[in-house]
Amino acid sequence: MVHRQIAVPARPRGSGPVRTCVGCRARAADTELLRVVFADGDAVPDPRRRMPGRGAWVHPDAGCLAKAEKRRAFPRALRVQGAVGVEGLRAEIERLAGNVGAGKSRSEEDTGSRSTRHESAVKLKT
C-alpha cells in the first residue's frame, strides 16, 4: 500500500514575520511596514527589503514617522550615533500615501530604468 503525504505549506497562511513600528510601537506583519536602513547619515527607505545593514520598521504613515522623530527612535533602532536625516524617508512616505487607492500597479509606479536604479544604489554605497 502506498501512503502519500498531503502537501503542507512551510508556513501557515497569515503567519509571517512580525515587526514593531518604531513610531507607534504597534506590532504588525512585515508586509504592512516599511523597512528603513541607515546610509550616508540618512534614514533611507528600503521597500524591497534587500539593502544591507540593520533595519528599522515604520508604518508608511506620516503620523508614525512624526512619532518616531519625536521619540528619536531611528538612531536608537539603527544603532547609530547622532541625528539621522529623514527627509528622503518623509518624501517616500508622502509618495506612498498619494498612491493609496490610486489604482496604480507596481510596474506603473516604477518609472526608473534598471540602470538608473543601479546607479542610485552605487551612489549609496560610496
Side-chain angles (χ1 to χ4, degrees):
M1 185 187 298
V2 175
H3 293 280
R4 295 183 188 208
Q5 294 182 353
I6 299 172
V8 178
R11 260 191 263 176
R13 222 175 261 205
S15 69
V18 176
R19 305 287 185 245
T20 302
C21 173
V22 295
C24 65
R25 303 295 298 162
R27 292 174 50 145
D30 67 343
T31 56
E32 297 174 22
L33 299 170
L34 177 64
R35 184 172 186 257
V36 178
V37 296
F38 183 73
D40 297 328
D42 292 327
V44 178
D46 182 19
R48 294 184 62 213
R49 302 182 195 124
R50 298 290 185 267
M51 293 178 76
R54 176 172 286 277
W57 298 79
V58 65
H59 282 106
D61 175 61
C64 283
L65 179 60
K67 287 179 188 177
E69 284 182 281
K70 184 178 179 182
R71 295 177 51 239
R72 296 186 205 117
F74 286 115
R76 188 172 34 255
L78 298 171
R79 295 187 182 173
V80 296
Q81 298 290 326
V84 175
V86 294
E87 292 76 28
L89 178 59
R90 182 177 290 112
E92 178 70 10
I93 287 176
E94 288 172 359
R95 186 188 70 81
L96 289 172
N99 285 342
V100 172
K104 293 183 178 180
S105 70
R106 217 176 221 179
S107 61
E108 291 176 36
E109 290 174 9
D110 186 16
T111 58
S113 68
R114 184 178 185 104
S115 63
T116 305
R117 287 191 309 259
H118 175 71
E119 290 167 3
S120 298
V122 170
K123 287 179 185 176
L124 286 176
K125 289 182 180 181
T126 58

